[in-house]
Every structure is written in structure tokens, then in C-alpha cells.
């Protein structure tokens, strides 16, 4: 991985504030933590780095909403939609370390799968009852 500021130069660490990769010349040590130029100003000012460093993943929020609604209705449709959105959000979070929401992604995958399975079982049960009762 290359330094964000110096293409072709190997990154040696990530900034604690923004999680971007940097070489040793681009970071400063503040209280045992490595910060880039932009984040060191916030660190010295005492700004809450966690709030500034993370961005909620909207796709993870959407996936969780679809999964929860799918448990109660239309799970055969909303379950797979939730799973698809969760997998997309998982890819986005993996590509951008500043995105948060991996817990929501996991919950969406589990709930979406359960919603789909329960809906399919319900449909099979209804179809079975219809075939036994003319």
C-alpha cells in the first residue's frame, strides 16, 4: 500500500484519526499515536477523533431496515433485498476504513436470511394446506 501523500512510497502506518495509509515522513507521534497533518490539528485541539474519523454507512442502515421489515411482511422479497444490500455495504466498508456499520451488516445478513427462510416455509405450509383441503 502506498502513502496517501507520496505515490510509489510504501506506507508504514495508518493515521489514527482518518485511517489513511502514510509513510513515516507524513505522520507525527502524539501521545503514542500516529497522526497525519490534518488530524494532528484535531488531536492537539482535543476534538473527539472517533466522531470525526468515522462515517456511518447508509447502505448498512438500509439493509437493516429491509431485514427487520422482512421479518414481519414480504420476507420472501425483502429478505434477499436486505442480503444484497448488506453484501454491498460489506464491500464498501472493506474498501473504506472510515465507514462504520459492520455490526449492522452482520445483523442484516442474519435477519434477512431468517426472514426469507420463514417466508418460504410459510408459503410451503399454505400450499400444502391448500392441496389437502379441496
Amino acid at each position: 500500500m502506498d502513502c496517501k501523500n507520496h505515490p510509489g512510497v510504501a506506507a508504514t502506518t495508518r493515521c489514527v484519526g482518518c485511517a489513511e495509509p502514510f509513510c513515516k515522513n507524513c505522520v507525527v507521534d502524539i501521545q503514542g499515536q500516529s497522526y497525519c497533518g490534518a488530524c494532528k490539528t484535531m488531536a492537539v485541539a482535543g476534538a473527539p477523533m472517533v466522531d470525526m474519523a468515522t462515517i456511518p454507512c447508509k447502505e448498512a442502515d438500509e439493509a437493516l431496515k429491509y431485514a427487520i421489515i422482512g421479518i414481519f411482511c414480504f420476507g420472501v422479497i425483502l429478505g434477499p433485498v436486505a442480503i444484497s444490500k448488506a453484501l454491498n455495504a460489506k464491500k464498501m466498508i472493506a474498501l473504506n476504513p472510515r465507514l462504520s456499520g459492520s455490526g449492522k451488516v452482520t445483523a442484516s445478513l442474519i435477519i434477512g436470511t431468517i426472514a426469507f427462510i420463514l417466508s418460504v416455509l410459510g408459503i410451503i405450509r399454505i400450499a400444502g394446506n391448500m392441496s389437502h383441503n379441496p
Side-chain angles (χ1 to χ4, degrees), residues 67-126:
I68 291 171
I69 294 169
I71 284 286
F72 298 105
C73 60
F74 307 115
V76 74
I77 297 168
L78 295 180
V81 170
I83 292 167
S84 175
K85 287 190 172 287
L87 292 174
N88 286 338
K90 187 175 186 176
K91 288 178 189 174
M92 292 175 68
I93 291 170
L95 292 174
N96 185 352
R98 293 186 66 195
L99 289 176
S100 63
S102 61
K104 290 179 181 180
V105 168
T106 303
S108 300
L109 289 170
I110 293 169
I111 296 169
T113 302
I114 291 170
F116 179 71
I117 291 171
L118 290 176
S119 293
V120 169
L121 291 175
I123 291 169
I124 291 170
R125 182 174 177 216
I126 290 170

Side-chain angles (χ1 to χ4, degrees), residues 14-91:
R14 286 188 179 269
C15 171
V16 174
C18 64
E20 294 289 342
F22 291 98
C23 67
K24 65 181 179 179
N25 294 326
C26 291
V27 294
V28 295
D29 188 287
I30 300 175
Q31 297 177 353
Q33 302 288 332
S34 296
Y35 292 95
C36 68
C39 293
K40 75 176 178 188
T41 306
M42 291 184 285
V44 171
M49 296 303 294
V50 174
D51 294 340
M52 299 206 171
T54 60
I55 303 166
C57 181
K58 293 177 185 177
E59 288 76 10
D61 291 338
E62 288 179 12
L64 187 57
K65 288 175 191 174
Y66 282 114
I68 291 171
I69 294 169
I71 284 286
F72 298 105
C73 60
F74 307 115
V76 74
I77 297 168
L78 295 180
V81 170
I83 292 167
S84 175
K85 287 190 172 287
L87 292 174
N88 286 338
K90 187 175 186 176
K91 288 178 189 174

